[in-house]
Amino acid sequence: MTLEFEAVIGLEIHAELETRSKMFCACLVVDPTQSEPNIAVCPVCSGMPGVLPVINQRAVEYGLRVAIALDCEIASASIFARKNYFYPDLPKGYQISQYEEPLARNGRITILTSQGEKMIRIRRVHLEEDTGKLTHVNGEPILPVDGSASETGGYSLVDLNRAGVPLLEIVSEPDMHTAEEVRAYAMALRSLLRYLGVNSGDMQKGVMRIEPNVSIRPVGSQALGTRTEIKNLNSLRALERGVAFEIQRQSGVLRSGRSVTQETRGWNEALGETFAQRSKEDADDYRYFPEPDLPPLVVDTGWIQQIREALPELPNMRFHRFQIQYSLSSYDAGVLTEEMAVADYFEQAVRTSPHIPPKNIANWLTGDLFGLFNQTGTPFDPARLVPESLASLVGLVLAGEINQATAKTVLSEMFETGKSPQDIVQERGLRQVSDAGLIAGWVRQVLADHPDQVKGYLAGKETLSRWLFGQVMRLGKGQANPQVVQQELDRQLAEMKNSANL
Ligand code: ADP
Ligand code: ZN
Ligand code: MG
């Protein structure tokens, strides 16, 4: 008998809140990739004795934006606590974090997978501070005398720029069952954070960090199995692969009759494997107690109301509206609404050209224009090619002024130079040729120039007509209207066939 297993997965996500200053002091939040180490540090965030933390109101507001958008119950008073542990990147010896009384609880978010939409429950959302960053520098290896490898001269560098940066922790219920759902959840949350303007979603820079908790249980069982937690996943791809690997690994462990050990596991990108890091600590190990230097965080309903009213239209609402208002598939609507700048761009393009079917604009935007941004490795930037220009390009294609192939060339040039499609078509004489007389002449010339291929076609090699078509398009420098070429070619070939049969 083979036992069927199902995976159960819950996620903890840490998102830095991109405020101007840190969570409990006035130090600036600096870009880790752009800054010298230890330039944004003060006595508070470096843990000097005798200093007092002060709560950053903007960080609370950002946290509330997220909590409200996740449909959470907001605590009228939440409590900061000290989570005690020693580590060189934590000079205070404790992290200030919300524990028993978090900012918000019991929310939800809708995710989209190939199975459709699904609701994932949010357990809690709380505020805390980030730690510093360590860089380990390896020393010289010592030649093993007694067989034990060792090294000397190694050291670790401490950078406290990140210490005290506001962090929002968002914890889901264990409602996910596949790697695909995990990825979809991470994408939905990332998209939401970006819409809300609180986090860039840049996983490579570490501003959004995802830790999946994975367990396995026999199908039909309600009890939760023993879980592992995977750390240091710094891309959506690593997240998806890490979860898939862990599901396989744990299933194997259970099938072999052993049991899963509760532990924290790392991710080895090169090997595509998780590996045991440390056994899981319990909450008791941290000796949590309320932070004596901070009062309860009181949030009044007026403020909540104000923040709620200022929220933008959220990705999921926009996703549904796009499908209805613009008759788009759920796939298209999903791609267009994932990023607010893209959704705005699309709507702007549609607004400037009400006669163009939105679907055509969606295709050019998410296909060719996205392709150009990808090729150049630059993020989507509306200023690079204004929505009005993209709409006019699509308009030129629909009006038959240029064909698809020419339009792609024109789009690349628009992308490079910022010129309007009309100017490019004009300057380079790219207007599509639909003149039947002219095209008939080109067809006649191609047929006359390639008697062998024509003979082959008449003898039954039908595919040669595609080749002949290509020759006519070439003769017309790619500007001939393909429909007219096809018709004319078919007509002349049919004529030849008839006279050959006579
Ligand atoms: P911590 O990891 O800090 O002890 P929690 O117990 O709150 O915190 O759980 C963290 C995450 O792990 C949550 O997203 C939760 O849904 C998920 N989780 C808890 N138990 C399991 C389990 N047995 N299998 C899968 N996920 C779990
Ligand atoms: Zn500081
Ligand atoms: Mg955890």
Side-chain angles (χ1 to χ4, degrees), residues 241-349:
R241 289 172 73 207
V243 167
F245 177 88
E246 199 49 26
I247 293 172
Q248 285 306 314
R249 187 189 69 84
Q250 292 187 18
S251 306
V253 169
L254 293 192
R255 277 208 186 87
S256 71
R258 289 169 294 143
S259 51
V260 172
T261 312
Q262 179 161 340
E263 64 193 357
T264 301
R265 297 180 69 86
W267 169 245
N268 183 322
E269 179 75 35
L271 295 179
E273 288 175 4
T274 65
F275 58 91
Q277 264 184 337
R278 55 186 155 93
S279 66
K280 170 81 187 154
E281 63 290 327
D282 282 322
D284 308 354
D285 297 333
Y286 291 118
R287 301 290 189 274
Y288 279 99
F289 65 86
E291 166 62 67
D293 292 338
L294 288 171
L297 173 60
V298 175
V299 173
D300 71 62
T301 51
W303 195 24
I304 296 176
Q305 193 51 31
Q306 220 178 323
I307 294 172
R308 189 189 302 280
E309 278 161 15
L311 291 184
E313 184 184 22
L314 299 176
N316 190 252
M317 297 185 223
R318 215 166 184 186
F319 166 73
H320 286 284
R321 179 168 66 76
F322 270 32
Q323 291 178 62
I324 296 164
Q325 186 174 344
Y326 303 119
S327 311
L328 295 173
S329 67
S330 93
Y331 176 79
D332 283 335
V335 175
L336 289 170
T337 55
E338 190 186 328
E339 195 180 327
M340 185 150 75
V342 172
D344 287 346
Y345 185 97
F346 170 76
E347 293 210 273
Q348 180 68 23

Side-chain angles (χ1 to χ4, degrees), residues 105-301:
R105 295 178 201 265
N106 299 332
R108 76 204 79 242
I109 189 169
T110 304
I111 66 168
L112 182 66
T113 68
S114 54
Q115 310 298 304
E117 283 187 277
K118 178 176 171 180
M119 207 261 289
I120 305 295
R121 293 168 302 157
I122 303 293
R123 180 179 290 179
R124 55 186 276 146
V125 174
H126 75 242
L127 288 161
E128 58 186 37
E129 57 176 338
D130 212 342
T131 60
K133 217 180 155 111
L134 297 178
T135 305
H136 303 292
V137 181
N138 290 335
E140 295 296 316
I142 294 177
L143 292 177
V145 188
D146 57 354
S148 67
S150 166
E151 53 184 43
T152 182
Y155 54 94
S156 294
L157 297 166
V158 184
D159 175 11
L160 295 180
N161 283 345
R162 201 180 68 177
V165 168
L167 268 190
L168 195 68
E169 178 167 344
I170 303 162
V171 183
S172 83
E173 291 294 341
D175 285 349
M176 286 158 270
H177 301 288
T178 62
E180 187 198 2
E181 286 184 356
V182 169
R183 184 193 174 92
Y185 172 84
M187 280 179 67
L189 206 50
R190 179 171 180 269
S191 170
L192 187 71
L193 294 173
R194 299 183 69 191
Y195 265 68
L196 297 172
V198 304
N199 183 287
S200 68
D202 203 337
M203 292 182 68
Q204 253 78 33
K205 280 190 184 168
V207 298
M208 178 177 160
R209 309 193 285 270
I210 306 182
E211 284 146 20
N213 288 261
V214 181
S215 67
I216 296 287
R217 67 184 173 198
V219 169
S221 157
Q222 287 306 307
L224 290 173
T226 304
R227 69 175 145 138
T228 61
E229 179 172 340
I230 315 175
K231 295 273 188 197
N232 300 329
L233 297 164
N234 62 2
S235 69
L236 288 176
R237 193 175 125 80
L239 172 69
E240 200 176 5
R241 289 172 73 207
V243 167
F245 177 88
E246 199 49 26
I247 293 172
Q248 285 306 314
R249 187 189 69 84
Q250 292 187 18
S251 306
V253 169
L254 293 192
R255 277 208 186 87
S256 71
R258 289 169 294 143
S259 51
V260 172
T261 312
Q262 179 161 340
E263 64 193 357
T264 301
R265 297 180 69 86
W267 169 245
N268 183 322
E269 179 75 35
L271 295 179
E273 288 175 4
T274 65
F275 58 91
Q277 264 184 337
R278 55 186 155 93
S279 66
K280 170 81 187 154
E281 63 290 327
D282 282 322
D284 308 354
D285 297 333
Y286 291 118
R287 301 290 189 274
Y288 279 99
F289 65 86
E291 166 62 67
D293 292 338
L294 288 171
L297 173 60
V298 175
V299 173
D300 71 62
T301 51

